[in-house]
Amino acid sequence: MIKVTLLALLLTLLQTLSVNSTRLSRDVLPSKQLLHLKFDLEQWRYEGRTEILFDVKKRRNTIWLYASTKHYKIVGINLIDQTGKTRKIARAISDRKKKILLLRPQSHVEPGKYKIIARFHGKIREALQGMIKTGYVDSRGHKHKQVTTHFEPDKAREAFPCFDEPSFRVRIKLIVEHPATHNTNSAAPVKSRNRICEKRVRTEFEETESMSVYLLAINVHDMGKVSVKSGRGIPVTVLTPDYAKKEALRTANLAARSLDFYEKYLGVNYPFKKLDIIGIFDFNAGGMENIGMIHLMYDCAYSGSFALSPRNELYCRSVIVHEVSHMWFGNMVSLKWWEDLWLKEGFARFITSYAQDHGVITDRRHGDHELQLIMRGYYAGINDDKFRFTKPVRQKLKDSYGAAAMFNNLSYAKGSWILRAVLKLIGEANFQKGLQKYFKTYRLKSADFNDFTGCFDKITSTVSVRDFMENWLNEPGFPMVKIAKDKHKEISLTQSRYTPKGNYKTNQVWLIPVNFKSNAEPSTKYKLWGAKRGRHIFSKPFKWYVHDTHSAEFAIYLYDENNMKALSKELQRNPKVLSDVQRTVYTLNLIENYDNGRVSTSTFLDTSRYVYRETQGDIIERWTLALLHFKNKLFLPENRHNFERYFKHVLIAHIEYSMKKEIQETKDWNVKKYYKWMFYFGVRWRVPAARARAKRVIRHFLSGKHVNIVYLSFVLRVYRRIRRSWRRIFHLLKWYPRSIHEYQIILSYVCHTEDPKQQLYILNFSITSQIMPRAIKRKTVCYVASRNPELTWRFFKRNYGYYFSMYGESQFSFDALLACVTENLETRRDYEDVKRFFRNHSTGTGSAGLKRGLESIRKNMAATKRESSSQRKTDYDEIFKKFVKTLNSGELSG
């Protein structure tokens, strides 16, 4: 008997070990889950009961499901078989790290239908995942309590027991008990609402469609609402605070237009019964596409209330269209596993841009959306993908613990480019046919890479979609294409893997869609080039050429110097010889190549001279930032003359023009972009009109009145009077901000201090504050780290447990946090200290950020070694300041 017991125990332990390295078995398939939750907003606690119905396909000794006993306590659990009898559970083993619960009944589990009933209770946490405590402030300054959830990618298990993998689709029946002063919203419409007692209400929801559990949202709130209907009659409701009903209505109309567009383009109707939207103040991303219940960053849901800049308004509208697209990409058709996250996020990024270009966002003053896709996402992906240690877009994951780290710029930006390239290669009509076939085939099912590409196999025979996508998804990095003129009609092409230092040799070859134009002929047809070396022949002789970037290719192009000089002269005569997208990508390529020493300073500055005729605000801003970033390099004696000539020639020429335009009065996107930067330089260089406006902004701001955010950001940066009001402005953080952007702008100013005592005070405040949004707490660390990296690193180490519990397993956050905390350190001792610290501490989802930080420290050490002294950098800053002071009013009016 003892031997049998030991053998059974050994078998159970072996199965537990296998749980640590595998996903849940497909022999146990859930079909339905009943969830009954009771919320106590006074004690910030909840208790619940859940019933999970599932089918067992093969005889088993154990049943596995996900349950995080670290975040809630299970007070009872039963297994009921298909006859209704309760099966005794001999052993229940909880794996706290993988958050898996293993149940071993006293006898074998035969094939059939079963049910698990569990009772549990836990805390509503100050966190970014699971069951979250949050709130908002109304127009009278009153604070309101809220409960919300964020379960992506694997955090539903932190709120209740469930089968928490994207391929497990279940129908969910939800019942919520909550205070009578509050309402509740979730994935399905409300079926009934009954008062239990004077202070408590019981809300029952209809049963959902088949869905992944991580897409369930639960919100307990006391907001108002505005509602519209889509063209097919789907109710779209935005939950809103009292002061933002007008802006909430605009959000609802945009979401309804998005539904109409996607239904028509994708050929499959919206499969759910309603769509709700709510703004969450403590939110860690732009949005979350929960089924029937979209969560948005607070500012984005009610963007018109906060006088956001045009770029931020466009971003917020893009987020809304992006999240609505997920109702198809990720919700209607879910992932089989997280290694194909690009199929959800890359598609949403791509189709959002496509929808915007087809009129979903009707206010065209917000600019070219293809251009915004490049500026916001494409080069962010390139910056993450250029290091030697980067990984492919598709990665093998043994379990869901590493899924959060997959939410990176590669899945979003690189994934969206690959899909855009496929559209260009096979044509829009064939691309649309393939998508419609995909959604009709896998509606309310799960799919992966093979399922998706299989829908395109018979649609086109000219290009193998599968081969092209495998080439880009399964290989790390991206190519650099060197192009040189060989003959009067020919150019030669050479591709290699791009790295900043250019010293990484591989045998990788990418399938690159190529398409060239010259001064003598328009763009050619796209064709795939898949060799180390190649050649392109034009039909006519040419003076200059450029790669046509309408596919926004995921590569860096390096042209020969003669071609760049010829193109520079042409741009000075007529910038419109290239489209806005072509000029933007050409500019970003030039800046990247100059930063890594592949382009000479004279060529860089010669090309920049055309910018005084530029009309695209994004390009002007990019040149302005490049100028400030490279000022040390450009201020070397041999470059200084050209630099000063460029500085006056390009920037000062726009100041007076911009000062004549009030930002609220103009509808021209580009003038607003000019204004943003010219207001900055106007205040800095004491242009009277700019200084007068700055004084009005300061007066309103310090009296506690909400002011235009564009004004506020630049006044706080440059106006000297503000610099003596640090404590007064810091005090505003405790009550003033009504939006995330206001909070971030004020915080970035107070973190600008050089006083170590004030810096330490800010860091401590960010941990103890109950008002500061949790996403902004992370940015506080990054702001201070940019001014005092050593102090921040010591503080971060001392409070690592707090930061890891808050951000360690969340998407995006910890990766960025580890990078910004370490990247400004610059000594060998710091480098060794960072490596030593993380030998003994988990990096959670931040391993890639730590690698970038260590790479940056090595680069800083090398730069320090090259310079004769650390004073040299200071000297350049002093020279730059002296140059600015020499500018007089005559030059400013030039």
Side-chain angles (χ1 to χ4, degrees):
M1 182 66 182
I2 295 176
K3 290 182 178 180
V4 173
T5 304
L6 289 174
L7 185 61
L9 180 59
L10 180 61
L11 179 62
T12 302
L13 290 173
L14 287 173
Q15 289 175 327
T16 304
L17 290 174
S18 68
V19 169
N20 288 337
S21 59
T22 60
R23 294 149 57 184
L24 297 189
S25 170
R26 266 49 194 169
D27 294 338
V28 179
L29 296 177
S31 58
K32 185 176 179 180
Q33 181 161 4
L34 171 65
L35 187 60
H36 188 168
L37 299 172
K38 301 177 182 179
F39 290 101
D40 181 353
L41 272 61
E42 295 298 324
Q43 301 296 324
W44 291 110
R45 300 190 65 85
Y46 72 100
E47 60 182 75
R49 180 182 182 275
T50 187
E51 296 182 13
I52 307 174
L53 279 66
F54 59 92
D55 294 334
V56 176
K57 302 297 183 184
K58 293 181 181 179
R59 188 185 193 195
R60 296 180 56 82
N61 294 323
T62 58
I63 300 294
W64 305 341
L65 71 157
Y66 289 105
S68 177
T69 54
K70 175 182 176 182
H71 296 94
Y72 52 85
K73 183 177 180 179
I74 297 177
V75 294
I77 189 163
N78 296 307
L79 176 63
I80 299 175
D81 63 20
Q82 51 199 339
T83 64
K85 293 182 179 180
T86 301
R87 301 284 299 274
K88 290 186 178 180
I89 297 175
R91 198 172 191 84
I93 300 176
S94 174
D95 185 331
R96 291 172 67 89
K97 181 179 180 181
K98 298 298 181 182
K99 302 166 187 172
I100 289 179
L101 183 64
L102 185 148
L103 303 178
R104 181 178 175 80
Q106 286 187 342
S107 58
H108 293 296
V109 179
E110 302 293 340
K113 295 184 180 296
Y114 291 83
K115 178 166 63 175
I116 288 176
I117 300 178
R119 295 177 302 282
F120 52 93
H121 61 78
K123 291 182 178 180
I124 303 170
R125 301 181 294 144
E126 285 192 34
L128 298 172
Q129 316 90 23
M131 201 71 73
I132 304 171
K133 173 173 120 177
T134 184
Y136 71 97
V137 179
D138 64 20
S139 59
R140 293 168 292 180
H142 297 160
K143 299 176 184 177
H144 296 253
K145 294 180 177 180
Q146 282 179 280
V147 176
T148 189
T149 58
H150 184 76
F151 295 152
E152 188 181 44
D154 59 346
K155 300 299 183 288
R157 66 194 70 173
E158 295 185 4
F160 51 85
C162 57
F163 285 78
D164 189 14
E165 289 184 9
S167 62
F168 289 129
R169 298 185 68 104
V170 299
R171 292 178 175 271
I172 298 177
K173 176 80 172 179
L174 178 66
I175 300 172
V176 178
E177 293 184 19
H178 55 87
T181 55
H182 286 60
N183 295 309
T184 184
N185 289 71
S186 189
V190 173
K191 182 178 180 180
S192 64
R193 177 183 164 97
N194 301 307
R195 188 175 289 272
I196 302 172
C197 61
E198 183 180 353
K199 296 183 178 181
R200 302 285 293 176
V201 168
R202 184 179 187 269
T203 301
E204 182 177 348
F205 293 88
E206 296 178 13
E207 188 174 286
T208 68
E209 298 288 343
S210 172
M211 63 180 286
S212 303
V213 180
Y214 82 89
L215 293 169
L216 177 68
I218 304 166
N219 287 281
V220 180
H221 62 90
D222 60 352
M223 286 183 163
K225 65 180 181 180
V226 296
S227 297
V228 299
K229 288 189 176 181
S230 71
R232 203 168 53 83
I234 299 296
V236 179
T237 302
V238 178
L239 307 174
T240 175
D242 57 350
Y243 57 81
K245 290 186 177 181
K246 181 179 179 181
E247 290 72 25
L249 182 61
R250 185 173 66 173
T251 297
N253 285 323
L254 176 57
R257 287 199 303 272
S258 301
L259 286 177
D260 294 339
F261 172 82
Y262 292 131
E263 286 186 337
K264 181 179 179 181
Y265 182 76
L266 299 174
V268 178
N269 287 338
Y270 177 72
F272 311 112
K273 297 177 182 178
K274 54 92 179 177
L275 179 62
D276 295 340
I277 299 174
I278 186 172
I280 307 295
F281 197 73
D282 272 324
F283 200 58
N284 193 40
M288 174 60 206
E289 67 279 7
N290 307 295
I291 284 179
M293 182 79 245
I294 291 175
H295 289 173
L296 293 176
M297 185 172 69
Y298 198 74
D299 290 15
C300 285
Y302 324 113
S303 60
S305 300
F306 307 121
L308 301 182
S309 66
R311 170 176 288 182
N312 286 330
E313 281 194 32
L314 176 61
Y315 167 75
C316 287
R317 295 186 183 199
S318 299
V319 168
I320 296 167
V321 180
H322 176 103
E323 301 306 332
V324 173
S325 75
H326 273 307
M327 298 300 141
W328 283 262
F329 299 97
N331 295 9
M332 179 191 292
V333 182
S334 58
L335 306 176
K336 284 187 177 177
W337 191 235
W338 295 110
E339 63 191 20
D340 284 313
L341 179 66
W342 66 275
L343 191 55
K344 179 169 84 82
E345 297 298 348
F347 236 123
R349 172 72 63 85
F350 159 73
I351 206 71
T352 297
S353 174
Y354 193 84
Q356 289 170 335
D357 286 336
H358 285 74
V360 173
I361 292 183
T362 56
D363 190 350
R364 298 298 296 176
R365 72 187 176 93
H366 292 297
D368 187 301
H369 303 106
E370 183 177 22
L371 192 64
Q372 290 300 314
L373 179 69
I374 295 169
M375 299 296 291
R376 187 171 67 87
Y378 164 46
Y379 272 87
I382 275 186
N383 284 331
D384 279 3
D385 204 24
K386 66 186 179 183
F387 299 103
R388 291 176 60 176
F389 54 76
T390 54
K391 297 180 179 179
V393 176
R394 296 186 76 216
Q395 302 172 35
K396 294 293 183 182
L397 291 177
K398 293 181 179 180
D399 52 50
S400 59
Y401 188 67
M406 298 288 288
F407 287 80
N408 52 43
N409 282 320
L410 300 184
S411 296
Y412 284 77
K414 194 172 183 178
S416 65
W417 170 79
I418 292 169
L419 294 162
R420 191 175 192 84
V422 169
L423 180 145
K424 295 291 183 180
L425 289 168
I426 69 175
E428 291 197 17
N430 286 332
F431 188 76
Q432 186 177 7
K433 287 180 184 177
L435 286 184
Q436 291 182 352
K437 181 179 179 182
Y438 173 68
F439 284 108
K440 288 175 182 177
T441 305
Y442 296 101
R443 184 182 183 275
L444 298 178
K445 298 177 183 177
S446 298
D448 61 10
F449 170 81
N450 292 323
D451 298 326
F452 174 75
T453 54
C455 293
F456 289 84
D457 285 344
K458 296 181 180 180
I459 289 178
T460 175
S461 59
T462 57
V463 176
S464 172
V465 173
R466 184 186 301 271
D467 291 345
F468 176 78
M469 298 187 79
E470 277 186 337
N471 179 253
W472 282 91
L473 290 170
N474 297 333
E475 292 286 343
F478 59 90
M480 180 176 76
V481 181
K482 293 182 180 179
I483 312 175
K485 183 177 180 179
D486 274 0
K487 300 177 182 178
H488 66 296
K489 290 184 181 181
E490 293 185 17
I491 56 175
S492 62
L493 298 83
T494 306
Q495 66 162 288
S496 59
R497 180 169 174 179
Y498 178 84
T499 56
K501 294 182 180 180
N503 58 353
Y504 190 48
K505 306 294 183 183
T506 70
N507 294 320
Q508 290 174 259
V509 175
W510 286 266
L511 294 172
I512 304 174
V514 293
N515 179 20
F516 290 93
K517 69 176 290 184
S518 71
N519 62 298
E521 61 183 278
S523 300
T524 57
K525 290 185 177 180
Y526 280 96
K527 63 179 181 180
L528 280 181
W529 168 50
K532 281 285 187 181
R533 299 181 182 277
R535 186 170 299 278
H536 179 81
I537 302 175
F538 290 95
S539 61
K540 299 177 182 179
F542 58 88
K543 294 180 180 178
W544 56 263
Y545 60 89
V546 69
H547 190 267
D548 189 356
T549 57
H550 283 299
S551 68
E553 66 283 344
F554 206 82
I556 293 292
Y557 284 78
L558 179 61
Y559 303 95
D560 64 87
E561 295 264 337
N562 291 331
N563 182 67
M564 287 191 283
K565 290 178 180 178
L567 186 55
S568 174
K569 292 179 181 179
E570 187 69 28
L571 288 170
Q572 289 180 50
R573 285 194 292 269
N574 178 23
K576 293 294 184 181
V577 71
L578 299 181
S579 69
D580 287 353
V581 172
Q582 291 168 343
R583 293 198 312 278
T584 300
V585 176
Y586 182 78
T587 296
L588 293 171
N589 271 271
L590 182 66
I591 292 170
E592 178 70 23
N593 284 319
Y594 178 67
D595 191 23
N596 292 291
R598 294 184 173 95
V599 172
S600 67
T601 300
S602 60
T603 301
F604 177 74
L605 289 175
D606 283 344
T607 304
S608 70
R609 294 200 62 191
Y610 94 89
V611 181
Y612 80 98
R613 299 193 62 184
E614 180 59 67
T615 57
Q616 177 49 251
D618 282 299
I619 299 176
I620 291 176
E621 180 176 33
R622 186 57 56 180
W623 275 108
T624 306
L625 293 173
L627 169 75
L628 297 175
H629 178 70
F630 295 135
K631 66 178 186 288
N632 294 346
K633 190 174 181 179
L634 294 171
F635 243 88
L636 292 172
E638 61 268 27
N639 301 327
R640 184 174 176 183
H641 175 70
N642 285 333
F643 173 64
E644 292 186 6
R645 184 175 59 182
Y646 162 78
F647 200 85
K648 298 175 184 178
H649 188 61
V650 176
L651 295 181
I652 300 174
H654 291 89
I655 291 180
E656 288 299 322
Y657 171 71
S658 299
M659 287 297 104
K660 295 175 184 177
K661 297 285 186 179
E662 284 283 355
I663 193 168
Q664 295 97 331
E665 295 175 355
T666 179
K667 294 184 178 181
D668 186 342
W669 159 260
N670 292 319
V671 170
K672 288 191 174 187
K673 295 301 293 292
Y674 290 153
Y675 188 90
K676 177 181 174 182
W677 279 103
M678 293 314 112
F679 184 57
Y680 171 80
F681 286 112
V683 174
R684 185 169 185 172
W685 294 341
R686 304 189 179 190
V687 175
R691 286 173 61 81
R693 191 167 299 130
K695 288 180 180 179
R696 291 198 299 273
V697 172
I698 293 166
R699 193 161 50 248
H700 287 137
F701 170 63
L702 291 179
S703 65
K705 296 179 181 178
H706 293 272
V707 299
N708 186 287
I709 286 180
V710 176
Y711 292 144
L712 178 60
S713 67
F714 287 96
V715 167
L716 286 179
R717 285 194 197 184
V718 300
Y719 197 62
R720 292 182 178 277
R721 177 184 163 191
I722 284 288
R723 296 177 186 174
R724 298 193 296 269
S725 307
W726 189 89
R727 291 188 180 279
R728 189 174 178 183
I729 294 173
F730 184 85
H731 180 70
L732 291 176
L733 286 176
K734 299 178 180 179
W735 65 273
Y736 173 86
R738 199 172 62 192
S739 79
I740 303 292
H741 279 90
E742 283 178 335
Y743 215 116
Q744 190 168 331
I745 289 169
I746 299 171
L747 184 69
S748 66
Y749 164 72
V750 297
C751 289
H752 200 70
T753 177
E754 298 287 355
D755 186 342
K757 291 183 179 180
Q758 291 180 344
Q759 292 168 343
L760 188 59
Y761 187 79
I762 293 167
L763 291 171
N764 281 312
F765 174 78
S766 70
I767 287 182
T768 58
S769 173
Q770 298 297 314
I771 299 176
M772 182 181 289
R774 289 183 271 277
I776 299 298
K777 291 186 176 190
R778 172 179 60 82
K779 292 188 177 181
T780 305
V781 179
C782 296
Y783 287 144
V784 178
S786 66
R787 313 295 296 182
N788 193 336
E790 291 82 8
L791 172 69
T792 308
W793 171 240
R794 292 197 301 271
F795 183 87
F796 181 75
K797 286 194 299 181
R798 191 166 63 247
N799 296 280
Y800 187 75
Y802 169 83
Y803 290 114
F804 187 83
S805 64
M806 182 72 72
Y807 308 106
E809 297 180 11
S810 65
Q811 307 134 284
F812 312 109
S813 299
F814 211 53
D815 181 85
L817 183 59
L818 292 189
C820 73
V821 165
T822 56
E823 65 188 1
N824 292 306
L825 300 170
E826 54 185 21
T827 67
R828 169 63 64 178
R829 185 176 66 179
D830 293 333
Y831 181 79
E832 296 298 334
D833 187 33
V834 172
K835 290 184 68 175
R836 185 167 52 250
F837 181 80
F838 284 107
R839 286 194 198 105
N840 302 317
H841 294 81
S842 172
T843 57
T845 59
S847 56
L850 177 61
K851 290 178 181 177
R852 292 200 304 273
L854 290 171
E855 184 80 15
S856 180
I857 298 174
R858 284 195 293 267
K859 190 175 180 179
N860 295 341
M861 290 191 306
T864 303
K865 191 174 181 180
R866 282 196 305 269
E867 294 178 356
S868 58
S869 70
S870 60
Q871 185 63 34
R872 188 174 183 186
K873 183 176 179 180
T874 306
D875 291 342
Y876 289 144
D877 289 338
E878 290 301 319
I879 293 171
F880 183 76
K881 290 176 182 177
K882 288 179 182 178
F883 165 67
V884 171
K885 290 179 180 178
T886 62
L887 296 173
N888 55 47
S889 57
E891 292 171 323
L892 288 176
S893 63

